[in-house]
Amino acid sequence: MTQPEDRDSQFPIHLYDLNLPTLQSLLEDWGQPTYRARQLWEWLYIHLAIDFDQMTNLPRPLRQRLAAKTTVGAPQVVGTLQSSNGETHKDLLALKDGETVEAVLMRYRGRRTACISTQVGCAIGCAFCATGQMGFRRNLTSGEIVAQALHFARTLQTKGERLTNVVLMGMGEPLLNYEASLIAIRRLIDPQGFRLGQRHITLSTVGIVPGINRLAGEGLQITLAVSLHAATDSLRNQLVPINRRYGLDVLFEACYRYVERTGRRVSFEWALIEGVNDTPEQAQALAARLKGLLAHVNLIPLNPTPDYAGQSPSQVTLDAFAAELERYHIPHTVRVRRGVDIQAGCGQLRQRNQSSSRSTNRARSP
Ligand code: SAH
Ligand code: SF4
């Protein structure tokens, strides 16, 4: 039987951290019939309830016991930013130990997409990334990952809307918190629960090759996004330090295998940095790498961060880079910098909150 990931006696049981069999055994230990767990499950994942008093088909003594011994596990909102066009809403969410993570809701072309975090901070340390600049603090539990998507689903529910997409593209590296991320994905697509379509979920990785190989064998139809940012090892080593461990040859081998095993197209993320990776040579090297691969490139102008000197390129340079990909028939999209005015780059709201609560004389990263 799977144990909840955190049963620290200091804290109540977090229900989002439990799978259905564990919930069943908990309620059976409390003398409840087996069907109770399914009823509670529906309150949690279909009705998105956070208040036990709402759960009117559960007997009152059970509701009281749940309220005394457990908590649903919904995070507290401790900061919010809204883009001026109203399309992007970013929340800073506090976890049970006081750590915070960012989650973003984007409304675009009829989609309602939640961008959620998988770790507090990140150990990879990509030069341009605000999350990388803060270092690694801890993994999120599966419940803490799911809770971020449900948080926005609940907001949307009050307006009669539904969450349509989830991207694991917030703070942290999902393939370095593999088990919890996969439990969270399976929880979101659960046909007896939240029922999100598999194809409406994207997992973004910096390129953890063993993780990609393992993901390819999960029998899932989610989209894999790989944060590439450079198509030569010498440049990628500088931007994305993990490239020294998993270089481009092994990374692309894993991507080819992923497509072969899942039949799914792989997305490649490319944050364009002025004078660094926005050259025709990089576009050509990228096109060469992608030859024969079922792939799509997302070009994203860099969101400048305080500890990295890089800037986003001009529109002319961006267009030229896209045109070069076009010339090689590489499918691509130029992503609008949605919510640049709300510091939508991952880790930036937390970074701002932290720096405003301590000395502003922050050391710059090397
Ligand atoms: N660790 C995973 C997922 C989280 S990062 C990964 O790296 O893929 C999500 C995406 O945001 C990645 O593509 C990352 O490269 C990108 N990103 C991080 N900082 C950025 C910035 N300042 N501007 C633009 N994109 C950024
Ligand atoms: Fe970590 Fe992704 Fe940021 Fe790199 S881009 S530091 S892998 S969160």
Side-chain angles (χ1 to χ4, degrees), residues 29-267:
D29 285 352
W30 291 2
Q32 295 293 323
T34 313
Y35 64 85
R36 285 281 181 243
R38 182 60 58 77
Q39 287 177 317
L40 180 51
W41 197 255
E42 289 178 2
W43 282 113
L44 294 175
Y45 297 106
I46 296 179
H47 308 301
L48 309 176
I50 45 173
D51 182 354
F52 295 111
D53 284 338
Q54 270 179 276
M55 306 180 182
T56 43
N57 60 354
L58 305 184
R60 188 184 295 269
L62 173 60
R63 279 187 266 152
Q64 285 168 343
R65 192 162 183 187
L66 282 167
K69 299 280 180 203
T70 75
T71 173
V72 167
Q76 293 263 326
V77 179
V78 292
T80 288
L81 287 170
Q82 179 95 31
S83 68
S84 44
N85 62 9
E87 278 186 349
T88 313
H89 177 109
K90 182 178 215 174
D91 281 333
L92 187 65
L93 303 173
L95 309 172
K96 59 191 167 213
D97 57 356
E99 288 288 4
T100 52
V101 286
E102 297 181 1
V104 183
L105 177 66
M106 292 166 284
R107 299 158 176 273
Y108 184 59
R109 288 200 186 146
R111 287 186 181 180
R112 307 278 180 269
T113 304
C115 174
I116 62 176
S117 297
T118 55
Q119 298 181 315
V120 183
C122 181
I124 302 292
C126 301
F128 50 83
C129 171
T131 304
Q133 288 157 10
M134 89 181 54
F136 175 73
R137 296 183 65 89
R138 74 164 170 88
N139 279 331
L140 298 193
T141 67
S142 60
E144 288 170 334
I145 300 171
V146 166
Q148 299 165 61
L150 301 190
H151 162 71
F152 288 127
R154 207 174 288 119
T155 316
L156 291 168
Q157 190 185 43
T158 61
K159 300 178 188 145
E161 297 176 17
R162 270 185 70 88
L163 189 70
T164 61
N165 296 72
V166 170
V167 296
L168 282 74
M169 237 185 226
M171 296 166 68
E173 169 49 50
L175 296 185
L176 291 182
N177 185 14
Y178 192 94
E179 276 81 12
S181 297
L182 265 286
I183 292 171
I185 289 170
R186 292 194 193 280
R187 183 72 39 83
L188 291 173
I189 65 176
D190 175 9
Q192 292 166 336
F194 193 64
R195 299 184 226 166
L196 194 67
Q198 294 200 26
R199 288 162 185 250
H200 294 200
I201 296 181
T202 297
L203 181 150
S204 176
T205 178
V206 70
I208 308 295
V209 167
I212 295 174
N213 292 340
R214 196 170 159 195
L215 190 65
E218 294 282 353
L220 288 170
Q221 285 288 296
I222 62 168
T223 299
L224 174 69
V226 175
S227 300
L228 200 63
H229 309 311
T232 52
D233 280 314
S234 55
L235 181 57
R236 197 164 191 266
N237 285 346
Q238 292 170 36
L239 295 175
V240 181
I242 198 76
N243 194 72
R244 294 189 201 115
R245 172 111 60 101
Y246 307 115
L248 288 169
D249 288 348
V250 288
L251 175 57
F252 273 94
E253 249 171 60
C255 292
Y256 275 88
R257 249 193 325 268
Y258 187 88
V259 173
E260 226 171 69
R261 292 195 70 180
T262 63
R264 300 284 293 156
R265 181 177 84 165
V266 175
S267 285

